[in-house]
């Protein structure tokens, strides 16, 4: 029997419609006409339901002990919530374009009002230069029509890497093209000198893991050890996703 869909909130801003829906044990943030942005398990908002969010968490675990994180795009706050819950972060900054999104995330999607968390409203392309440098930077800027132009903007993507602290990691949720490569693969290869790793996921995205500099490599053994140590808290294993990590395509 299909579970009934309940509309919990609906607001319209200058960019269009935002809705929060509930289906059984899950709540969904949608932009426009039924374009899902986030899925939250109501009983545990730090649970990551989708592989693409789990792959982004793998990007965070590339860093042995991150203290600061910058999220460009909040969505339902699911990944932010997980990082606050499972990483030794002391300072987390979010830049979100739409003021209603953080409000709805806190009211309906379990985003905690954590003292370590600062949310700024505005365009990530404009506000990046005023953000603190960070150990982890996450780029997940999607609208109801797909990825924001920032996902293919050479200067912006380069500036994201430059805002990393030494030893830091940039994690980009990139659309996949029909060939399975990330959107803008040639641009990305040129910009980051082919020095990054990719995690293809079943939702049709490719998560990019980009280190702060060329001397820095992916410590698979350390990554796997941190992921396995965290598995009992997470309630799932990240090993299957770590096993499909590949060099830049």
């Amino acid at each position: 029997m299909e579970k009934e869909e309940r509309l919990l909130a609906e607001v319209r801003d200058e960019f269009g419609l935002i809705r929060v829906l509930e289906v059984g044990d899950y709540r969904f943030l949608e932009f426009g006409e039924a374009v899902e942005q986030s899925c939250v398990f109501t009983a545990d908002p730090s649970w990551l339901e989708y592989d693409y969010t789990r792959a982004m968490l793998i990007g965070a675990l590339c860093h042995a002990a991150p203290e600061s994180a910058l999220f460009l795009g909040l969505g339902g706050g699911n990944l932010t919530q997980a990082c606050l819950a499972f990483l030794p972060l002391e300072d987390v900054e979010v830049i979100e374009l739409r003021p209603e999104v953080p409000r709805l995330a806190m009211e309906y999607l379990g985003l905690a009002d954590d003292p370590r968390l600062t949310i700024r409203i505005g365009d990530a392309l404009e506000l990046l230069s005023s953000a603190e440098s960070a150990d982890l930077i996450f780029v997940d800027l999607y609208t109801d029509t797909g990825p924001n132009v920032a996902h293919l903007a050479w200067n912006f993507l380069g500036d994201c890497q430059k805002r990393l602290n030494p030893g830091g990691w940039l994690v980009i949720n990139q659309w996949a093209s029909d060939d399975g490569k990330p959107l803008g693969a040639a641009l990305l290869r040129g910009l980051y000198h082919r020095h990054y790793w990719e995690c293809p996921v079943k939702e049709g995205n490719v998560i990019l893991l980009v280190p702060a500099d060329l001397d820095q490599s992916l410590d698979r053994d350390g990554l796997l050890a941190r992921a396995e140590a965290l598995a009992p808290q997470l309630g799932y294993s990240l090993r299957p996703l770590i096993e499909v990590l590949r060099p830049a395509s």
Side-chain angles (χ1 to χ4, degrees), residues 10-242:
E10 183 173 279
V11 294
R12 191 174 282 280
D13 64 10
E14 61 183 296
F15 304 101
L17 196 62
I18 311 174
R19 303 196 304 166
V20 179
L21 300 168
E22 184 172 69
V23 183
D25 297 330
Y26 292 91
R27 289 183 175 182
F28 300 89
L29 181 73
E30 290 186 348
F31 289 172
E33 298 305 318
V35 178
E36 186 188 318
Q37 294 293 322
S38 296
C39 166
V40 173
F41 179 46
T42 316
D44 179 9
S46 63
W47 170 269
L48 298 178
E49 182 69 20
Y50 292 144
D51 278 359
Y52 84 88
T53 49
R54 295 181 183 188
M56 292 182 85
L57 183 61
I58 286 170
L61 293 176
C62 289
H63 197 299
E67 292 179 6
S68 54
L70 171 63
F71 290 83
L72 304 177
L74 176 68
N78 193 217
L79 181 65
T80 305
Q81 192 73 17
C83 288
L84 284 164
F86 302 119
L87 302 176
L89 294 169
E90 294 171 8
D91 184 40
V92 175
E93 183 178 5
V94 173
I95 296 176
E96 167 56 48
L97 183 64
R98 305 170 76 166
E100 291 293 342
V101 167
R103 183 183 71 77
L104 293 170
M106 286 183 172
E107 196 169 331
Y108 296 100
L109 302 168
L111 180 64
D113 187 10
D114 192 296
R116 296 170 292 167
L117 177 64
T118 304
I119 298 175
R120 290 200 293 154
I121 301 301
D123 188 333
L125 283 100
E126 294 167 12
L127 293 182
L128 177 65
S129 61
S130 61
E132 297 285 327
S133 64
D135 296 328
L136 301 171
I137 297 179
F138 300 89
V139 178
D140 192 5
L141 299 166
Y142 281 78
T143 68
D144 54 357
T145 56
N148 180 292
V149 294
H151 280 254
L152 288 174
W154 177 281
N155 288 345
F156 173 76
L157 292 171
D159 288 344
C160 285
Q161 187 184 35
K162 291 187 186 111
R163 291 218 85 65
L164 288 170
N165 292 327
W169 287 85
L170 170 63
V171 183
I172 305 172
N173 177 19
Q174 197 76 342
W175 259 16
S177 305
D178 293 339
D179 58 6
K181 292 181 180 179
L183 183 71
L187 176 148
L188 295 162
R189 287 195 303 270
L191 177 61
Y192 299 129
H193 308 285
R194 289 182 182 263
H195 189 63
Y196 56 89
W197 288 263
E198 300 175 356
C199 186
V201 294
K202 62 175 182 261
E203 289 92 16
N205 299 32
V206 180
I207 306 306
L208 306 183
L209 313 178
V210 186
D213 63 58
L214 290 168
D215 299 335
Q216 192 179 324
S217 65
L218 183 73
D219 171 16
R220 278 180 190 267
D221 293 341
L223 174 59
L224 198 53
R226 287 189 285 278
E228 294 292 283
L230 207 51
Q233 283 174 266
L234 293 173
Y236 47 83
S237 173
L238 294 170
R239 181 184 282 269
L241 289 168
I242 293 172

